[in-house]
Amino acid sequence: MTSENSEAWIFKHDMISEITHYMKYAGAEGEHDPWYDPKADVGYQQVHVDQLDGLLTRFLQTLQDLPQPKAEADIMAAVQRAVLGINALNDSVQGCMIETGEREMLCDFFCQAVNEAGFACEDDITDEWRDW
């Protein structure tokens, strides 16, 4: 299995898709949903989704590129860098991008990714650094 087919990569793809869908439809199911408002402003744009995607991709690539055996300190340093980047991104859109659902997805994503890297994760490993 290639790294891009790992659970963490798939999780990232699904999460970015969900965030993009919310940006486009603001909670409606699609354009034909009676709640759809094409003028709705969720507070962030595609450029911000792309930045989040880039941050998460770099994080996964960093974990992948760590020498074997992967040191816990190196894994946690990668988590910290990614979380601080997400903090800055979310701050740039006045906190509109990462709300409860996105926070839960991100916490699960980070746990999945570090588990795949060989570090046991059962709790929220982002809490120490995250503002979202």
Side-chain angles (χ1 to χ4, degrees):
M1 177 184 289
T2 65
S3 61
E4 288 78 18
N5 291 327
S6 75
E7 291 295 319
W9 282 92
I10 293 167
F11 198 122
K12 177 192 79 80
H13 172 75
D14 293 347
M15 182 173 35
I16 293 299
S17 292
E18 284 188 41
I19 291 170
T20 301
H21 186 275
Y22 184 77
M23 178 195 65
K24 289 180 179 179
Y25 303 111
E29 291 298 315
E31 293 177 13
H32 302 292
D33 186 318
W35 293 101
Y36 174 62
D37 178 1
K39 296 178 184 171
D41 180 4
V42 297
Y44 60 93
Q45 300 173 0
Q46 187 62 48
V47 65
H48 304 109
V49 177
D50 293 344
Q51 289 171 358
L52 178 61
D53 190 22
L55 285 165
L56 300 179
T57 296
R58 281 189 296 283
F59 167 70
L60 289 173
Q61 288 172 335
T62 297
L63 291 183
Q64 179 181 321
D65 293 344
L66 290 174
Q68 294 290 347
K70 297 178 187 332
E72 178 181 338
D74 293 336
I75 292 170
M76 294 309 292
V79 171
Q80 180 182 13
R81 277 190 305 276
V83 169
L84 294 176
I86 295 169
N87 286 347
L89 173 59
N90 199 45
D91 287 348
S92 77
V93 293
Q94 292 71 49
C96 293
M97 187 173 212
I98 310 299
E99 296 181 2
T100 304
E102 293 81 10
R103 180 185 68 240
E104 291 173 1
M105 285 189 293
L106 282 165
C107 291
D108 289 347
F109 162 79
F110 279 103
C111 198
Q112 176 68 40
V114 300
N115 278 332
E116 288 179 13
F119 176 66
C121 169
E122 296 177 12
D123 296 320
D124 176 9
I125 61 169
T126 67
D127 189 51
E128 183 176 347
W129 306 289
R130 71 174 162 86
D131 294 334
W132 25 272

